Each structure stands twice: as structure tokens, then as C-alpha cells.
Amino acid sequence: MSGITTPQDTPPLFSFDRINKLAKNLPKILSGVNHADFNIGHPNNDGRRIRKNAAHLSKEEKEKFLSAVLGLKNIFPNNSKYSVYDQFVILHMGAVSIALGSEYDLNNETDLRILRENYQKTDPAHSNPGFLTWHRLFLNEFEKALQTIETSVTLPYWDWTDRDASIKNIFVKEFMGGNGGFEGLGGKLVNSVFTGENGFIVKEELHKKCKNSPTIGNTITRYLGPFEFLATPQSEFKEFMSSNTFGPDELIMDVTGRLKPANEETRGFRFGIEAGLKAHNPTHDWYGYGSGAQIPESLQIKDGDSVGPANFVWPTQQIYQSISTMTNVACSNNDPIFWLHHCNIDRLWSDWQDQGHYGDMYFPKKGRDVLKVAPTGEYSFPDGHQLDDPLWPWDNSRSNTVPWLQQSLPVIVGRYSNSNAMDVRELGYQYDTSSAIAFDAKPVKAFPNGSGKQVFKFSINLIQPKNYYFVFNNFGDAKVTEISIHKTYNEKDINEWEFQSLGFGGETFGSQSFRKNDTITKVKFEATRGTFYVVVSCTASKASLNSFYTIGIKDTDSNIDQPDIISFGVTENDSREIKLEAKLKGTKEFFFIYVKEVCQLCFKVQDIDALIQLIGPSTSNDIIGLDEGCCKSTCPIVSATLTPGHYLIQLFHCSFNDQIGKEGKLIINCMTKDIKDTIEMVETGSREPEKIPKCGTILYKIQPKGDTVKKLYKIKVGLHTNSGHSNVNTRVYQVQTNTTDPYGFNNLSSVIASGKSETIANLDNSLDNTKEYYIRLTFPDAPHIDENDMFTLKFKTF
């Protein structure tokens, strides 16, 4: 993936100079919305956005989301005739149209040239593996755009398996609106926020199946089917959620010349979620089914004296599909329910990945994954649908869609491949149903589906060697029979089908492989800080949701014990002394610190030889400060201004022989009085050069001014050194208050942007002027720099 910009370092899709307010025709229904800060998704300690079930949103959360959608519909960047929302519609239409010859003007030279260039291309967003990655990035960009209007908004998902909630909480006029027509029997949407009178006007040329099709009109149109037709019931999810693989290993060609899985039972997750029974495709179609009450008597198909849903679904679909917004795939995102529907698809994929299908192995890769086509052929997925292929339109203009859409696309920034969209956490969000192996987290559920292998990723942060425990609970007839732990994961070289039969080809971590004839319920292993992968082999009933296992990790053999945490509150000056005993060189001790307020923390070791480090905040592994007193007859001292959160003091003993056992002490001082006032405020622009601090760290405060607006913030540090040292780490923290961590503390700091070695730290979301933000610079080489070494901080807004 060399040379590809990762999503977390890439600016958002849309660049706006400034959004001061919504257009004048925003709906009156939202004129009284309270814009006080609240969270639709409550971030965890890592600062990720949390996407929630739309049926569970509060009234205020729904209003914020609706306000943001309507805002995008009424903002026209650079005097374009298309709003920001319209540009997302154009982007989706462009994906569908890119390889359709019927969309090009064959009498136009430009159209003919682009058509020839796209001769061997295919839709980058549908009917192939890129369906999931493309829409994951598409949703992420739309969510960022929503946050230019309401910074706390995250995309909610519509769980269409919950039919009662769909009726009572989703398809209501106060939220997403119901069926079309004044009597609710189908037609143009009327009783909804998303109507012309409320500022949601659909562009007619963007509301059609294809370029030469008649327009559906300037209003969202729905002909909803009966709710009993809607989506796969939860009990039938086994079709794709219990799949061991992303795709099939063999294809066959049907009578129409289309390739399809040779075995429906092993077709994999992607085929099931996109085209399976009442999942993605049928849910789009459901918007054009209509109901028996809508169908003229002359068109109803009767079986004796009864008219049943199964008898009139297809005649209804033929009548209404062409005039329903969601059933016309290209322009389907004119209806905002599209975003909730696809958010659910993305959630199900994310949950499936969490359930033991982690990593690049679970996506086709060029040269690695060649499928058999019965009886003798071979097949590889087309360009754009393999792991390292760039995705249109994030491909640096490698491809163009049809000119009539290309000319109205938004400015595209950055480059993405399918591999950049494999992990939602790397994109900065997760779902309220997400689960991953972690301490103090709920166990992860996995479905073996017969005899299968799953792979999970987990991390350990402590440097100290320690025993850890995997705990398994087996349900139904599931039996965990073998696990192995690995430091490396050869996912690039092995495909998912080989993995199911062979596991990893590389060596296990140490001797960490465990096998039993009976069910494994607990495994003990020793490890230090690092990223690991655990492979679990299990047997169970085939495709049964009643047979599964859960896996969790603990750092004790029983319940997790709360560590001893030295807490500093809001007193002006607080100090602690901790008795120490000198230990053999290389021995480590750890002290957990929590600070509630911005403070100046200073700690030192007296009377024994030691090296000390300060690490934090919270889950960050950044070394803020260090000092060494080994064999120097000096007290190592670390001092730093800290934001609220958890920190770790690491003490490395340096004693030998008769020094072992000598008494010493760790002295910690915390000052809060007037400390905030001493932190320098950063204004936009380039600052004057400053000397690199001897303590190796400096903290600045950012204070957004005026309204919360869409801006791209870039922070860059330039070094001017005589000593030749060029290391600097940049971190941007957001202070979160009134949150709660596993230990009951409620003021925390999370890293929201970072950069290393003079690289740029991008803040690609808006800053909220009601919250606190800080920039920390750390210079790892500070003890060895020249006294005249300088740095320059540049803080720019675009």
C-alpha cells in the first residue's frame, strides 16, 4: 500500500470556505431546534464516533440529524446549481453510470473518448466486492459533511429486521416519513420533513433511472410494500452472518451468462448481504412493491377467492419500481432513508468482521485469489474490486464517469484503495453493536458454521511481562478445540479458503498453541506490549445461530481487579510520597495517575538509581517526558503540563549488588492554580521560531472562535536544528467531560489528530467552540539537542 494516503490522514471529500448559516428556506419545523451540545453517538475513550440504532435516538438526536440533512440540501458551494446533498447523489449516479454505454452521447467526442477508456471497467460500487468498501467510504464522507452543520451528528442505522420499530419509530412523519400519497397508499412524499415546502427539493435531472429515462419528479416517491415483506427476520440471519468467508471459492455461469456462486451454502458474506434473501437489494425493491390496496382490481392476481401477498408482489413491483426513488439504484440516495439503510449494511459487515473475520485476508487480492469457474475456467474480480485497487472517485482522476455527471462532481481530495476501508475504527467510528477483544469489554460472539477458523486482533499495552487469559463460553453444540496466538499475520499471502483449512503458515508466538479433545474454556498465556492475533478453531452445527462461542480477554485469573490509581482532583496543590525499594537493574514498576483538571505535574525519584517515563493520556502510548538518574547521583525529574485523563509513570530500576534493597521514594506534586492561564493560546498562522524546551514537551491551547463551521485545520511543526535531531511528535487532544471510563472517572482527553517527524497533523472535522482542544509537541531527542535548536509551529485553517 506504499504511496496511498490513509483515510485518517486524508481531508474530507468536500472543501468549503465557510458555512455561516443554513439557507433561508430551511423548514419551519426545525426553526426551534435547540442547538445546545449533545451527542448522538457517545464517544468512547478513544474518541471514535459511535453510530446508533435510529429507532433508539432521542427526540433531540433526531432533530439534529434532520437539521443537518436539510442543511446540506440548502448549501450550494461555489455558486453551484447543485447543493452539497445533490453532489452526493451525483457521485452515486456517477458510480452506476461509469461503465454504461447508454449513458454516453455517442455523437460527442469527449463522451466517446471516456467510454473507450472505461471499456473494461465496471460499476465500482455494486455487484462486486467493492460494494461494501465503496459504500463504507461514501457513508463516511457524508457523515463528515453532516458534521459541518451539527458537529455531534453521526449516521444512525435502520435495523430493518425490527419491523415493529420500523413502523413505530422510523417511518413516522416526525422522522423519516411514511409511505407516499395523501392517504399513505403510495406516491409523492407529503407528510414528512423531506418535502419541497420544508426545503427538500429533488433535482429532476438527478431523479431518474438513467440519462434517457423520464424523471420521477422533484419530490421523493415511495410505494412501500407490506411490512411483513420487509427484510430478513433476525432468526434467518444465518444466511450471511454465520458465513466463514467473504466470498465463494468457485463460481458457475447461469443460462444468462452471469457468474454466481457454485454452492449457495458457501457463497460467503458479501453475496449474502448484497443480493441475499431480503437484505440489501430486496430492501431497495421493497420501496416499489406497493400493497394490495394500491393495485387496481384488474391487475390483481387471484388464487381462487384469495389475494395473498405472494401473488401480487411481482405485478406490483413492475408497476411501481420505475417511479419509486429507492428502487432506482442510481438516484436512490435522493431519499435520505438510503443513508440509514446502507449504514445498517455497513454495520452488519463491521459486526461480521468483529466476529473473527479480521483483516485483508477477507477481501479478494490480485494474484492471490483466483476463483474456479466450473467446470474448467478461472476468474478474478474486475479492476477496482481487489484489495489494493484504488477506488473511484478517490483515484487521483485515474478514471472519469460520464461527462454530464463528471462536470458536476465535487472536488475530490485524497486517494483510497479498498484496503483503506477494511476497518471502521481506522476511519474513526464504530457502532453501538461493535465488539472487539479488549480488556473491560464485552465478550465477542462468533459463529463457527460447521467446522471453521476465526481470527481476532487484540493489543496489550504494558511493557511488563504478564500472564493473560482468554475466556471462552460455548453455546449450543459449539466446541472450541484449538487456539494459537501470533505476532505476525500473513494475511497478504494467504487467502481465506486456505486459511480455513491450513490456518496461518507462520510460527506461533512463543509456544502459544493450545489443543484439547474436549472444549477449551480458558487459556493462559504470557505476553508484553504489542499487537497480537489469535486463531480459534471451533466445531458447531452448520449455519446455526444457536451454536456459537464468545471470547474475552482478562488480565487476572478471576474478575478484573481495579488498579491502584493515584487520583489528583481540583485542589490547588497536592503532593504524594510513595516508598520505593531499589531493585535489580531492568526491573520495572508502574504507577497509575489520574488528573481531573489541567495541571502541572512534577515527579521525581530520590535516593535510588532509576529512569522514569510519563506516558499518556488515557489509551495513548505517547511518552510525554523522561529523565535518567542511573549512576549519576542525581534525582531524575519529569515535569509537564497535563490535560485531564489517565497517565502511567514507568520506573526502570538501575541498581546493582549492595544497592539492591536500599530505600527511596517517588515524590509527585500536582498544581492546578492558574495553570490554565499560563498555557499559551494558538492563533491561526505561523508563529515565531521558539527554542526547543529542555523538558522535551510543550502544550498549547486551541480556542475556536465564532460559529462552529466547516474548516480543515492543519498543524505542522518545522525544525531548525544544529544538532541534526529531527524528531517531533504532534498530538491534538479534545477534553471530554461528564463521560465515564471503566474506573468511574469522568474527565478525559482523547487524541483526535497526530503527526510525526515534521508531518502534518490534519483535523478533518469541525472544532466545536464549546469544547477544549490542546496541541502537545514532544521532542524525543530533547536531552541531546543543542541549546540553539529551534522549532516553528504553523496552525492553518482552510
Side-chain angles (χ1 to χ4, degrees):
M1 301 193 303
S2 173
I4 295 180
T5 305
T6 58
Q8 57 266 42
D9 293 330
T10 302
L13 182 62
F14 298 98
S15 297
F16 311 122
D17 293 332
R18 185 174 177 85
I19 300 172
N20 291 317
K21 58 184 178 180
L22 304 186
K24 292 180 180 179
N25 61 340
L26 275 181
K28 294 180 181 179
I29 191 172
L30 294 171
S31 62
V33 172
N34 178 11
H35 289 265
D37 178 62
F38 64 91
N39 288 325
I40 279 186
H42 305 289
N44 62 11
N45 288 344
D46 293 328
R48 295 191 186 98
R49 310 186 301 276
I50 307 297
R51 295 180 179 174
K52 294 172 64 177
N53 189 327
H56 300 161
L57 300 183
S58 68
K59 179 182 178 181
E60 291 109 333
E61 289 171 337
K62 290 177 181 177
E63 288 178 342
K64 284 260 187 172
F65 173 71
L66 297 176
S67 177
V69 173
L70 289 165
L72 294 184
K73 190 64 174 174
N74 288 275
I75 293 170
F76 297 82
N78 301 320
N79 298 316
S80 170
K81 72 173 183 176
Y82 295 118
S83 70
V84 176
Y85 191 101
D86 296 333
Q87 290 181 340
F88 275 99
V89 175
I90 291 169
L91 201 55
H92 196 257
M93 293 178 73
V96 173
S97 303
I98 196 168
L100 290 178
S102 59
E103 295 298 286
Y104 294 82
D105 183 352
L106 302 184
N107 295 314
N108 182 285
E109 290 185 7
T110 301
D111 279 55
L112 282 173
R113 176 179 58 80
I114 295 175
L115 177 59
R116 285 193 293 268
E117 291 172 356
N118 293 341
Y119 176 70
Q120 292 186 317
K121 289 186 171 64
T122 187
D123 179 347
H126 301 90
S127 303
N128 274 295
F131 163 72
L132 290 168
T133 47
W134 193 95
H135 282 90
R136 175 167 283 179
L137 294 176
F138 190 46
L139 294 176
N140 199 43
E141 299 292 3
F142 185 71
E143 184 174 72
K144 290 179 182 179
L146 291 175
Q147 290 166 352
T148 68
I149 310 297
E150 298 287 358
T151 58
S152 61
V153 165
T154 55
L155 275 175
Y157 63 87
W158 165 36
D159 181 1
W160 16 254
T161 66
D162 190 342
R163 294 168 181 174
D164 288 341
S166 296
I167 296 169
K168 296 174 182 177
N169 300 323
I170 306 295
F171 292 95
V172 294
K173 65 179 181 180
E174 296 82 7
F175 191 32
M176 301 308 293
N179 205 0
F182 285 99
E183 297 181 359
L185 298 178
K188 295 184 182 299
L189 198 58
V190 287
N191 293 318
S192 169
V193 174
F194 303 118
T195 59
E197 64 186 15
N198 290 326
F200 201 93
I201 300 173
V202 180
K203 292 288 187 181
E204 293 191 14
E205 67 271 28
L206 304 180
H207 200 197
K208 53 174 65 177
K209 181 179 181 180
C210 57
K211 179 181 178 182
N212 297 320
S213 300
T215 182
I216 302 172
N218 64 3
T219 306
I220 295 167
T221 305
R222 294 177 181 170
Y223 290 90
L224 305 185
F227 277 87
E228 59 264 31
F229 288 5
L230 176 61
T232 302
Q234 190 72 37
S235 61
E236 297 177 23
F237 254 31
K238 62 186 179 185
E239 182 181 3
F240 43 87
M241 291 306 289
S242 63
S243 298
N244 278 331
T245 57
F246 183 80
D249 64 338
E250 187 173 3
L251 301 171
I252 59 172
M253 186 174 292
D254 64 17
V255 293
T256 67
R258 290 186 175 184
L259 293 172
K260 65 179 185 179
N263 186 335
E264 287 296 307
E265 291 186 359
T266 58
R267 65 179 178 173
F269 175 83
R270 200 274 300 176
F271 274 95
I273 194 69
E274 184 175 11
L277 175 66
K278 297 181 181 179
H280 169 262
N281 290 355
T283 302
H284 272 279
D285 294 340
W286 178 77
Y287 280 81
Y289 278 159
S291 66
Q294 298 168 250
I295 304 176
E297 181 72 20
S298 61
L299 295 178
Q300 291 188 17
I301 297 177
K302 297 186 178 182
D303 181 9
D305 295 327
S306 63
V307 179
N311 291 326
F312 57 71
V313 167
W314 292 112
T316 306
Q317 191 176 13
Q318 291 169 7
I319 297 166
Y320 295 111
Q321 187 177 39
S322 63
I323 55 174
S324 295
T325 303
M326 274 284 282
T327 55
N328 287 277
V329 172
C331 67
S332 56
N333 59 324
N334 275 301
D335 190 335
I337 196 68
F338 169 96
W339 305 105
L340 279 66
H341 171 44
H342 270 273
C343 198
N344 195 46
I345 298 294
D346 185 62
R347 175 185 71 93
L348 293 171
W349 182 30
S350 175
D351 285 356
W352 182 80
Q353 290 177 304
D354 280 349
Q355 291 167 6
H357 310 102
Y358 173 83
D360 294 347
M361 180 171 63
Y362 293 96
F363 202 89
K365 183 177 186 291
K366 195 171 295 183
R368 185 193 68 188
D369 299 289
V370 178
L371 281 69
K372 299 176 183 178
V373 179
T376 58
E378 291 183 342
Y379 177 77
S380 294
F381 287 105
D383 185 43
H385 292 276
Q386 303 205 54
L387 184 66
D388 296 321
D389 291 348
L391 281 166
W392 181 90
W394 303 278
D395 60 356
N396 289 344
S397 302
R398 179 185 175 191
S399 304
N400 292 299
T401 188
V402 292
W404 77 280
L405 293 171
Q406 183 74 33
Q407 64 187 2
S408 299
L409 286 176
V411 176
I412 308 300
V413 180
R415 187 176 181 221
Y416 292 80
S417 68
N418 288 294
S419 62
N420 296 135
M422 295 299 292
D423 190 340
V424 297
R425 293 171 179 85
E426 290 185 2
L427 290 170
Y429 71 92
Q430 60 190 52
Y431 290 92
D432 58 6
T433 57
S434 297
S435 61
I437 293 179
F439 299 101
D440 302 315
K442 63 183 179 181
V444 177
K445 181 187 289 187
F447 303 93
N449 192 8
S451 178
K453 289 181 173 64
Q454 288 80 41
V455 58
F456 306 87
K457 178 183 177 182
F458 67 99
S459 297
I460 291 174
N461 291 325
L462 290 181
I463 296 175
Q464 179 184 25
K466 184 176 174 62
N467 289 327
Y468 298 93
Y469 302 84
F470 280 120
V471 179
F472 299 90
N473 287 299
N474 301 276
F475 297 86
D477 62 357
K479 290 185 177 181
V480 175
T481 58
E482 183 179 0
I483 82 162
S484 57
I485 302 170
H486 305 258
K487 277 286 287 183
T488 57
Y489 180 1
N490 57 332
E491 56 186 330
K492 295 285 187 181
D493 305 317
I494 188 170
N495 69 43
E496 56 182 339
W497 287 93
E498 292 171 342
F499 169 72
Q500 284 300 315
S501 59
L502 302 175
F504 286 149
E507 294 182 359
T508 57
F509 167 60
S511 58
Q512 308 298 327
S513 182
F514 309 87
R515 179 179 298 178
K516 287 182 66 174
N517 294 326
D518 199 4
T519 305
I520 295 176
T521 57
K522 186 184 293 186
V523 164
K524 175 183 176 182
F525 66 100
E526 183 180 82
T528 58
R529 177 185 291 180
T531 299
F532 301 85
Y533 306 90
V534 55
V535 176
V536 180
S537 299
C538 184
T539 60
S541 299
K542 199 163 190 175
S544 170
L545 293 186
N546 295 319
S547 294
F548 61 92
Y549 66 90
T550 63
I551 175 174
I553 190 171
K554 295 184 177 182
D555 55 3
T556 63
D557 197 8
S558 56
N559 294 327
I560 297 175
D561 296 325
Q562 178 172 308
D564 293 328
I565 297 176
I566 305 168
S567 176
F568 293 96
V570 294
T571 56
E572 293 181 358
N573 197 342
D574 196 357
S575 65
R576 312 289 170 85
E577 283 193 11
I578 301 169
K579 290 183 178 180
L580 300 174
E581 183 178 283
K583 295 180 173 60
L584 181 66
K585 184 175 182 178
T587 306
K588 308 176 190 68
E589 285 192 77
F590 302 88
F591 303 90
F592 297 92
I593 305 294
Y594 172 77
V595 296
K596 184 179 179 65
E597 300 289 335
V598 173
C599 68
Q600 183 74 24
L601 190 80
C602 177
F603 63 96
K604 62 182 179 179
V605 174
Q606 287 186 346
D607 303 326
I608 64 173
D609 287 344
L611 179 149
I612 51 176
Q613 293 179 338
L614 179 64
I615 296 175
S618 300
T619 57
S620 169
N621 291 325
D622 295 335
I623 298 176
I624 295 174
L626 64 88
D627 194 17
E628 182 179 2
C630 301
C631 307
K632 295 181 179 179
S633 300
T634 59
C635 298
I637 300 175
V638 169
S639 180
T641 304
L642 303 182
T643 55
H646 293 277
Y647 295 85
L648 176 68
I649 294 176
Q650 291 193 123
L651 187 152
F652 297 82
H653 285 271
C654 301
S655 297
F656 289 98
N657 303 328
D658 58 344
Q659 294 295 315
I660 296 173
K662 183 180 178 182
E663 290 186 355
K665 54 188 174 182
L666 171 66
I667 301 173
I668 309 173
N669 290 305
C670 178
M671 296 179 58
T672 59
K673 185 179 180 181
D674 301 328
I675 295 299
K676 259 190 180 183
D677 297 334
T678 65
I679 301 176
E680 193 171 352
M681 194 78 69
V682 174
E683 303 288 346
T684 54
S686 295
R687 295 168 56 86
E688 292 295 321
E690 303 173 61
K691 284 189 175 183
I692 295 176
K694 290 184 178 180
C695 65
T697 183
I698 189 168
L699 189 72
Y700 300 96
K701 185 174 183 180
I702 307 173
Q703 180 59 59
K705 295 182 179 180
D707 296 335
T708 299
V709 297
K710 179 60 183 181
K711 288 182 178 178
L712 173 62
Y713 293 87
K714 287 180 179 286
I715 298 113
K716 185 173 182 179
V717 181
L719 295 177
H720 324 284
T721 68
N722 298 317
S723 58
H725 295 285
S726 59
N727 291 327
V728 58
N729 297 329
T730 307
R731 299 289 184 269
V732 182
Y733 305 140
Q734 177 184 326
V735 176
Q736 299 171 345
T737 59
N738 299 320
T739 185
T740 302
D741 72 356
Y743 307 113
F745 296 104
N746 59 8
N747 284 10
L748 302 166
S749 300
S750 59
V751 178
I752 60 173
S754 62
K756 287 186 176 182
S757 300
E758 297 193 85
T759 57
I760 295 173
N762 286 329
L763 282 175
D764 56 5
N765 291 322
S766 300
L767 295 182
D768 187 335
N769 61 4
T770 66
K771 296 180 179 177
E772 291 184 61
Y773 300 91
Y774 294 87
I775 301 174
R776 178 178 297 284
L777 307 182
T778 54
F779 302 88
D781 301 321
H784 311 291
I785 60 173
D786 187 277
E787 62 179 8
N788 295 317
D789 285 352
M790 310 285 282
F791 74 94
T792 303
L793 175 64
K794 300 177 182 179
F795 180 49
K796 295 186 177 182
T797 306
F798 297 87

